[in-house]
Amino acid sequence: MTNFFSSDFKLGILGGGQLGKMMLYDTRKYDIQTYVLDSDSDAPCKLACNYFYQGNLMDYETVYNFGKKVDVLTFEIETVNVDALLALEEEGKKVYPSAKTLSIIQNKGRQKLFYREHNIPTSEFTKFSNKAHLTEGITNNNIKIPFVWKSTQGGYDGKGVSIIRSGADLAKLPDTECIAEELIDFKNELAVIVVRNPSGEIKTYPVVEMEFHPEANQVEYVICPARIDAQVAEKALAVAKKVSEAFEHVGILAVEMFQTQDDKILVNEVAPRPHNSGHYSIEASYTNQFEQHIRAVLDLPLGATESKLGGIMVNLVGAEGYTGDVLYKNMDKIMSMKGVTPHIYGKKQTRPFRKMGHVTIVHEDINEARKIAEEVKNTIKVISK
Amino acid sequence: MTNFFSSDFKLGILGGGQLGKMMLYDTRKYDIQTYVLDSDSDAPCKLACNYFYQGNLMDYETVYNFGKKVDVLTFEIETVNVDALLALEEEGKKVYPSAKTLSIIQNKGRQKLFYREHNIPTSEFTKFSNKAHLTEGITNNNIKIPFVWKSTQGGYDGKGVSIIRSGADLAKLPDTECIAEELIDFKNELAVIVVRNPSGEIKTYPVVEMEFHPEANQVEYVICPARIDAQVAEKALAVAKKVSEAFEHVGILAVEMFQTQDDKILVNEVAPRPHNSGHYSIEASYTNQFEQHIRAVLDLPLGATESKLGGIMVNLVGAEGYTGDVLYKNMDKIMSMKGVTPHIYGKKQTRPFRKMGHVTIVHEDINEARKIAEEVKNTIKVISK
């Protein structure tokens, strides 16, 4: 086995945001040397890595040259130059997750085709090379309104996704390659974090549930374990595992799924890295998703994925009407609640809806945790000074 | 309330060793700005703090000037210049734990007198200003062999402590101010981590038990919760709380105690900082001792001290016969055991008995955890390349 600990071994991480920052808690814990590349000279990862490089993640030369410096290369964000990863792989560099997986996931059309080819349940869809073809498809009645429109490229955090309910919605769309997906009337939105290492060891975390705000239609709580039937959970775990194996994925794969009204499981989309839906694991799981990702990409044995306690995550996003130097109002109040752990990502400036941090609530009884989570949500406010 | 999070607030930490390193996981989590002072330019804290200063912790000017830079000053090691802390306090700087507490604890004679004055149960002792007076005390039969000899100053990690069973043992002692303590025939060695903030909020962690190697007479496992009667545990918690309150302590205080054969609790000694006996809390507790220390010194509400699961800690010390670049043999094997988390402090060089890291084992059933801990202990080896 390679000697990773307090050694000359070098792990490279593309992207230096909050996901990388949380990953660095665990590289520090294991004293694994890290190199980080990010475009922002003030990235959250800057402090706890061994070497920080500022550069454009979409630039071939920058990513290629950075990759040459390290022994294993991973990423914490998908928008990186895949050609550079391919070139590095061809030269024998270990890149996990693989360039091929990333290139499929980066394009929502290819991602959907991949599910279809691998017999992975997903909603019906049609791919269009531009807006004219999409409009033609609707005129010909091949596509029926309402449907979900997704740009095949560049979508992130809800961007590049629209629900089309009228001709007016359609008119607003940009002219890009896109897919039109069947609109699913789901009972629950679920996610499963799967982890797999190069030796093929694979483990799943428990199914989590995204609870939506009844009016705002925004995810308010990520709840582990999901409050669903055991049979549905089994099905979701099996589907998630199948996706990871189809990709021969290495590292964390977050599989987001719909539970339909008739309890079918449909894969919505995946993220090939630690994910918001797994943040609860830092406090609630035997092995958190960041440590697990590191274990996987280094081909170390995977850690236990069971929960110590029930866990709920609440995102901390910038409040509407506030832009500027951030102030976390009522932090002391939420810190006095049992089992509440705030995570502050370290962004100095807030703006409406910017992801500034998250809060985890753990409790033996998930219903108790849910009550405390609501109290947290109603108490803390991310405003400006 | 002061705005600590993603702000200009500055927390200063004297000492940059492994305790500080683990504290920095939590300052990063909260995005609290940190300044660290340590004599070693390669100290484990160097990476994740905001500003690192190299300097002698025992030098008045160095500590004083460092303290002037920060808003709140704490420490992760006791061997710091107390006069500088006193001067800073006099100027209104917040120093937690206080200079007074530290000066009492730094001197084992003063520490014992403090217990006596505050009616805190501790073993009988006599203080001698030098070796001649000690010898005289023995000759006059005021002190009976066997007894425990402790140098009043500079003792650390078992240094400056001897059990005196014969004239030969006595002959080997250095000529220093010392105390002679009654040798306690204890049933168990216990510890309680207490935390208290400036507002006077106080909490105790569960009692932990140090299990000794049957032959080597070394602590092998720290076990939480201790496998003792509830009544004894209650007594230990009450004594620990009394010690923290007597010091009007701010921050973590680790209180080490003996449980005598007749179930009395006697305070052995204390450490005014996060402590080896609380390392299990990172994985096992609702709030780990490092986060708790930060909450306390910033006068934030204290976190819950309950355990999520049973926890056991095993120290990773350099194996005998190996000196040089460290190699952690069989790390992959222990990482494949359930609920096992290694912590590597980041010291590049091993030598016999050097503290290089620790391993935590968590499990719902403490007896299961104990079995796995033994397997860990028998598997991992800290050797050199």
Side-chain angles (χ1 to χ4, degrees):
Chain A
M1 193 191 73
T2 312
N3 176 25
F4 302 111
F5 314 100
S6 295
S7 77
D8 293 333
F9 173 85
K10 297 171 190 75
L11 174 65
I13 305 171
L14 294 168
Q18 62 257 23
L19 299 174
K21 181 190 169 193
M22 292 186 266
M23 212 184 285
L24 294 182
Y25 301 156
D26 296 291
T27 59
R28 295 294 296 134
K29 185 167 81 184
Y30 286 145
D31 197 39
I32 294 168
Q33 230 188 138
T34 46
Y35 285 57
V36 171
L37 176 68
D38 196 272
S39 60
D40 181 359
S41 67
D42 231 7
C45 272
K46 198 173 183 183
L47 277 192
C49 65
N50 295 70
Y51 298 97
F52 181 80
Y53 294 83
Q54 194 184 352
N56 183 350
L57 294 167
M58 290 306 289
D59 180 64
Y60 180 93
E61 290 295 329
T62 305
V63 172
Y64 177 81
N65 290 331
F66 176 80
K68 294 288 276 182
K69 294 185 209 296
V70 301
D71 298 307
V72 171
L73 186 61
T74 189
F75 48 84
E76 58 107 49
I77 189 166
E78 289 100 310
T79 49
V80 303
N81 190 297
V82 175
D83 291 333
L85 299 187
L86 276 169
L88 289 162
E89 277 177 354
E90 268 165 33
E91 292 174 24
K93 188 71 67 185
K94 288 178 179 168
V95 179
Y96 299 126
S98 72
K100 192 184 155 199
T101 298
L102 184 56
S103 70
I104 294 169
I105 290 171
Q106 274 186 348
N107 184 300
K108 287 188 181 162
R110 288 190 70 187
Q111 195 182 137
K112 287 290 272 190
L113 283 171
F114 181 88
Y115 300 143
R116 193 179 273 170
E117 282 160 16
H118 288 82
N119 218 7
I120 289 161
T122 192
S123 62
E124 290 303 316
F125 73 100
T126 314
K127 191 177 153 186
F128 296 98
S129 49
N130 56 41
K131 193 170 170 180
H133 286 170
L134 170 65
T135 310
E136 197 180 300
I138 296 167
T139 314
N140 296 345
N141 245 343
N142 294 330
I143 301 298
K144 289 191 179 50
I145 285 176
F147 66 91
V148 180
W149 172 89
K150 288 181 181 173
S151 169
T152 55
Q153 296 208 46
Y156 201 74
D157 266 351
K159 282 168 203 154
V161 178
S162 286
I163 298 181
I164 305 304
R165 298 187 189 275
S166 65
D169 290 344
L170 186 66
K172 281 181 221 151
L173 292 177
D175 183 14
T176 57
E177 189 187 69
C178 63
I179 54 172
E181 277 184 20
E182 174 193 8
L183 179 65
I184 302 295
D185 176 26
F186 58 82
K187 200 190 275 183
N188 279 304
E189 204 166 322
L190 308 173
V192 173
I193 302 281
V194 196
V195 59
R196 187 176 168 280
N197 68 17
S199 301
E201 190 186 0
I202 186 165
K203 287 191 179 182
T204 49
Y205 282 78
V207 184
V208 302
E209 164 198 356
M210 277 71 152
E211 187 183 325
F212 282 72
H213 187 282
E215 286 126 45
N217 200 38
Q218 267 194 330
V219 177
E220 278 205 293
Y221 308 106
V222 174
I223 303 176
C224 179
R227 297 161 298 179
I228 55 172
D229 289 349
Q231 278 184 319
V232 176
E234 281 305 313
K235 218 188 288 180
L237 293 171
V239 167
K241 216 164 163 174
K242 189 171 173 178
V243 177
S244 172
E245 280 171 338
F247 279 116
E248 292 182 331
H249 190 72
V250 170
I252 290 284
L253 187 75
V255 183
E256 296 185 85
M257 292 172 284
F258 297 121
Q259 175 189 359
T260 64
Q261 295 295 348
D262 55 347
D263 287 342
K264 277 195 199 108
I265 293 291
L266 299 176
V267 172
N268 180 23
E269 52 186 56
V270 301
R273 52 165 171 81
H275 188 254
N276 198 262
S277 64
H279 287 352
Y280 78 90
S281 64
I282 297 178
E283 286 80 16
S285 304
Y286 270 79
T287 314
N288 77 62
Q289 65 168 346
F290 301 97
E291 175 180 339
Q292 198 71 277
H293 187 75
I294 295 162
R295 286 177 178 239
V297 301
L298 301 183
D299 207 10
L300 286 162
L302 302 179
T305 53
E306 289 94 332
S307 291
K308 297 171 180 172
L309 295 169
I312 299 190
M313 192 223 45
V314 178
N315 282 314
L316 285 183
V317 299
E320 279 187 274
Y322 296 92
T323 298
D325 289 350
V326 67
L327 181 73
Y328 296 90
K329 201 182 155 190
N330 295 330
M331 268 284 277
D332 53 339
K333 291 201 177 62
I334 69 163
M335 288 175 80
S336 70
M337 301 174 190
K338 186 177 171 184
V340 169
T341 307
H343 290 255
I344 305 297
Y345 296 157
K347 301 169 188 175
K348 307 298 175 212
Q349 302 287 314
T350 184
R351 55 175 184 261
F353 307 113
R354 189 176 193 195
K355 268 194 202 166
M356 301 297 288
H358 74 263
V359 182
T360 309
I361 298 95
V362 294
H363 201 286
E364 283 159 51
D365 178 351
I366 195 72
N367 297 312
E368 270 311 306
R370 176 62 185 73
K371 280 181 208 159
I372 300 170
E374 193 160 334
E375 227 182 306
V376 166
K377 182 108 194 163
N378 294 335
T379 305
I380 183 128
K381 285 232 147 41
V382 184
I383 59 173
S384 53
K385 282 179 203 164
Chain B
M1 192 190 75
T2 312
N3 176 25
F4 302 111
F5 315 99
S6 295
S7 78
D8 292 334
F9 174 86
K10 298 171 188 73
L11 174 66
I13 305 170
L14 295 168
Q18 62 258 24
L19 299 174
K21 181 189 169 194
M22 291 186 268
M23 212 183 285
L24 293 184
Y25 301 156
D26 296 291
T27 58
R28 294 293 297 134
K29 186 167 80 183
Y30 287 144
D31 197 40
I32 294 168
Q33 229 187 139
T34 47
Y35 285 57
V36 171
L37 177 68
D38 197 274
S39 61
D40 181 359
S41 67
D42 232 7
C45 272
K46 198 174 182 183
L47 277 194
C49 64
N50 294 72
Y51 298 96
F52 181 80
Y53 295 83
Q54 194 184 353
N56 184 349
L57 294 166
M58 290 306 289
D59 181 62
Y60 179 93
E61 291 294 330
T62 305
V63 172
Y64 177 80
N65 291 331
F66 176 80
K68 293 290 274 182
K69 293 184 211 295
V70 301
D71 299 306
V72 171
L73 186 61
T74 188
F75 48 84
E76 58 105 51
I77 189 165
E78 287 100 312
T79 49
V80 303
N81 189 296
V82 175
D83 291 335
L85 300 187
L86 277 169
L88 289 162
E89 279 178 352
E90 269 165 32
E91 293 175 23
K93 188 71 70 187
K94 288 178 179 168
V95 179
Y96 299 127
S98 72
K100 193 183 154 200
T101 297
L102 185 56
S103 72
I104 294 170
I105 291 171
Q106 274 185 349
N107 184 299
K108 286 187 181 163
R110 289 190 68 188
Q111 194 183 139
K112 289 290 270 191
L113 283 171
F114 181 87
Y115 300 143
R116 193 178 275 171
E117 283 160 16
H118 287 83
N119 217 8
I120 290 160
T122 191
S123 60
E124 291 302 317
F125 73 100
T126 315
K127 190 176 154 186
F128 297 98
S129 50
N130 56 41
K131 192 171 172 180
H133 286 169
L134 171 66
T135 311
E136 198 178 300
I138 296 167
T139 315
N140 297 346
N141 245 345
N142 294 330
I143 300 299
K144 288 194 177 48
I145 284 176
F147 67 91
V148 180
W149 172 90
K150 288 180 180 173
S151 168
T152 56
Q153 296 208 45
Y156 201 73
D157 267 350
K159 282 168 205 155
V161 178
S162 285
I163 298 180
I164 305 304
R165 299 187 187 277
S166 65
D169 290 342
L170 186 67
K172 281 181 221 151
L173 293 177
D175 183 13
T176 57
E177 188 186 70
C178 64
I179 55 173
E181 277 184 20
E182 174 193 8
L183 180 65
I184 302 296
D185 175 26
F186 57 82
K187 202 190 275 183
N188 279 304
E189 203 167 323
L190 307 173
V192 173
I193 302 281
V194 196
V195 60
R196 187 176 168 281
N197 68 18
S199 300
E201 190 186 359
I202 186 165
K203 288 191 179 184
T204 49
Y205 282 79
V207 184
V208 302
E209 163 196 356
M210 277 72 152
E211 187 183 324
F212 284 71
H213 187 281
E215 287 126 45
N217 201 36
Q218 268 194 330
V219 177
E220 278 206 293
Y221 308 105
V222 174
I223 302 176
C224 179
R227 298 160 298 180
I228 55 172
D229 289 348
Q231 279 185 319
V232 176
E234 281 304 314
K235 217 186 290 181
L237 292 171
V239 167
K241 216 163 162 174
K242 190 171 174 179
V243 178
S244 171
E245 279 170 341
F247 279 117
E248 293 182 330
H249 189 72
V250 170
I252 290 284
L253 187 76
V255 184
E256 297 185 83
M257 293 171 283
F258 298 121
Q259 174 189 0
T260 65
Q261 294 297 347
D262 55 349
D263 288 343
K264 275 196 201 110
I265 293 291
L266 300 176
V267 172
N268 180 21
E269 54 185 53
V270 301
R273 52 166 171 79
H275 187 254
N276 198 261
S277 63
H279 287 351
Y280 77 89
S281 65
I282 297 178
E283 285 80 15
S285 304
Y286 269 78
T287 314
N288 77 62
Q289 66 168 345
F290 301 98
E291 176 180 339
Q292 197 72 276
H293 186 75
I294 294 162
R295 285 177 178 239
V297 301
L298 301 183
D299 206 11
L300 286 164
L302 303 179
T305 52
E306 290 95 331
S307 291
K308 297 171 181 173
L309 296 169
I312 299 190
M313 192 223 44
V314 178
N315 282 315
L316 286 183
V317 298
E320 279 188 275
Y322 296 91
T323 298
D325 289 349
V326 67
L327 182 72
Y328 296 90
K329 203 182 153 188
N330 295 331
M331 269 283 278
D332 53 337
K333 290 201 177 63
I334 69 163
M335 286 175 80
S336 70
M337 301 175 190
K338 187 178 171 183
V340 170
T341 306
H343 289 256
I344 305 297
Y345 297 157
K347 301 169 188 175
K348 307 297 176 214
Q349 302 286 317
T350 185
R351 53 175 186 262
F353 307 113
R354 188 177 194 196
K355 267 193 203 166
M356 302 297 286
H358 74 263
V359 182
T360 309
I361 298 94
V362 294
H363 202 285
E364 283 160 51
D365 178 351
I366 195 71
N367 297 312
E368 270 312 306
R370 177 63 185 74
K371 279 182 209 159
I372 298 170
E374 193 161 334
E375 227 183 306
V376 166
K377 183 109 193 160
N378 293 335
T379 304
I380 184 129
K381 286 232 145 43
V382 184
I383 60 173
S384 53
K385 282 178 205 166

